[in-house]
Amino acid sequence: MPKEHHLVTHFVEHALVSIDNLVEQQREFNAAQALYGDKIIGSEVRVFNETVAQVKEALLQTLEKTAEDLTHKGDKNWTAHFKDGVE
């Protein structure tokens, strides 16, 4: 990605850290609930973790597409991923 667009990369990195923090908070909440005797439903935890993994993958794919569009900016033969453009 061109140096002037590294802000996009930093945003995605910060978003991924925020998601990891959310996962940690959920893990701690589940642990506290288990200590108090509440039954943790494993299938719900699994669905949560799978959904988080899908969101993280989608963010990374969007970053890759954005980088491709930025790299090919001005190339009339390139079919942009994002029709509204990237700046």
Side-chain angles (χ1 to χ4, degrees):
M1 182 173 293
K3 188 172 180 93
E4 63 270 12
H5 298 292
H6 281 290
L7 185 60
V8 174
T9 305
H10 288 300
F11 169 77
V12 172
E13 288 174 352
H14 293 163
L16 292 173
V17 168
S18 294
I19 291 170
D20 287 342
N21 290 340
L22 178 65
V23 168
E24 181 61 21
Q25 289 172 2
Q26 183 65 27
R27 188 193 65 74
E28 290 173 359
F29 176 76
N30 286 342
Q33 293 298 100
L35 286 174
Y36 288 118
D38 287 350
K39 183 177 180 191
I40 304 302
I41 301 170
S43 60
E44 291 179 2
V45 173
R46 185 179 68 252
V47 168
F48 174 79
N49 289 329
E50 289 172 355
T51 302
V52 167
Q54 290 171 351
V55 168
K56 290 170 77 171
E57 181 63 29
L59 276 172
L60 291 175
Q61 288 175 355
T62 301
L63 177 61
E64 289 173 1
K65 289 178 181 179
T66 302
E68 288 176 350
D69 281 358
L70 287 170
T71 302
H72 293 283
K73 190 173 179 180
D75 182 353
K76 65 181 182 177
N77 297 318
W78 175 255
T79 304
H81 296 288
F82 303 104
K83 300 304 178 204
D84 60 346
V86 291
E87 297 298 323

